[in-house]
Amino acid sequence: MKVIGLAGWSGAGKTTLLTRVIPYLLKDGLRVSVIKHAHHAFDVDVPGKDSWKHREAGAAEVLVSSTQRWALMHELRGAAEPRLPELLAKMSRVDLVVVEGFKREPLRKIEVFRAANGKPFLFPHDPDIVGIATDTPVETALPTAHLDEIEAVAAMMLKSAISLEDVLAKCEAEG
């Protein structure tokens, strides 16, 4: 299992890019999973539904299962947010895990940059950025691809991805 991150400011188009890259990777027979970091309280449950009621009542975990999918919600209830290694350990084995967000974790990342966002590039200050997907020219020795060049972005992600074991060792070493 290999891991690569996507990092960028909010509004850069990380999710949009990823929803275009995933089908491309699937056509090549790869199994892909995603870990998405959220910076705010979020809910994957619908208020008023049974699973929401269980969670609101204080359950530490609520697992919802059907013939189509299952989802596990774990309430932290004041505990510290888990770091990336703990979350990766919960993932089923696939060919590639794409980590969206977690820009402060010591993980190889492709920066997603959109000029209209008006934010600075992350790469000059983040040594873990190993490539850039952007809509504007950029002077760098790093590999770059245009946001619309899905094949090139996918290739950059696959070439830059490292093994799960290497990610875990790097996270442990950098604490």
Side-chain angles (χ1 to χ4, degrees):
M1 185 157 86
K2 295 211 170 178
V3 182
I4 187 67
L6 281 185
W9 298 103
S10 178
K14 297 179 299 293
T15 299
T16 300
L17 180 63
L18 193 49
T19 61
R20 295 177 68 200
V21 169
I22 290 172
Y24 179 82
L25 295 171
L26 296 178
K27 284 192 316 188
D28 285 345
L30 296 176
R31 292 185 52 210
V32 180
S33 291
V34 176
I35 294 179
K36 162 78 173 142
H37 187 257
H39 293 285
H40 47 76
F42 70 95
D43 213 335
V44 295
D45 206 1
V46 177
K49 290 292 195 179
D50 291 350
S51 56
W52 181 86
K53 290 177 183 176
H54 300 312
R55 194 169 42 83
E56 287 297 304
E61 290 188 329
V62 177
L63 192 145
V64 181
S65 180
S66 75
T67 58
Q68 300 296 311
R69 70 190 53 87
W70 66 269
L72 176 64
M73 290 173 284
H74 180 96
E75 287 294 318
L76 293 175
R77 305 276 180 219
E81 179 180 1
R83 290 212 41 231
L84 184 58
E86 185 180 339
L87 298 173
L88 284 166
K90 296 179 184 303
M91 302 294 288
S92 297
R93 299 292 292 191
V94 294
D95 299 303
L96 181 68
V97 175
V98 181
V99 178
E100 184 183 330
F102 289 94
K103 65 182 167 207
R104 288 175 178 68
E105 289 282 356
L107 164 74
R108 295 185 82 172
K109 305 170 200 100
I110 305 297
E111 179 173 356
V112 179
F113 181 87
R114 186 173 304 278
N117 222 11
K119 300 279 190 175
F121 279 98
L122 299 173
F123 81 89
H125 309 291
D126 185 342
D128 293 315
I129 292 178
V130 295
I132 303 170
T134 182
D135 63 353
T136 189
V138 56
E139 288 191 35
T140 180
L142 295 174
T144 62
H146 192 278
L147 290 170
D148 290 329
E149 295 173 346
I150 300 307
E151 183 176 346
V153 173
M156 185 170 34
M157 290 171 66
L158 289 172
K159 184 176 181 181
S160 302
I162 60 173
S163 72
L164 172 62
E165 294 76 21
D166 288 345
V167 171
L168 296 177
K170 187 171 184 180
C171 286
E172 186 176 317
E174 296 190 24

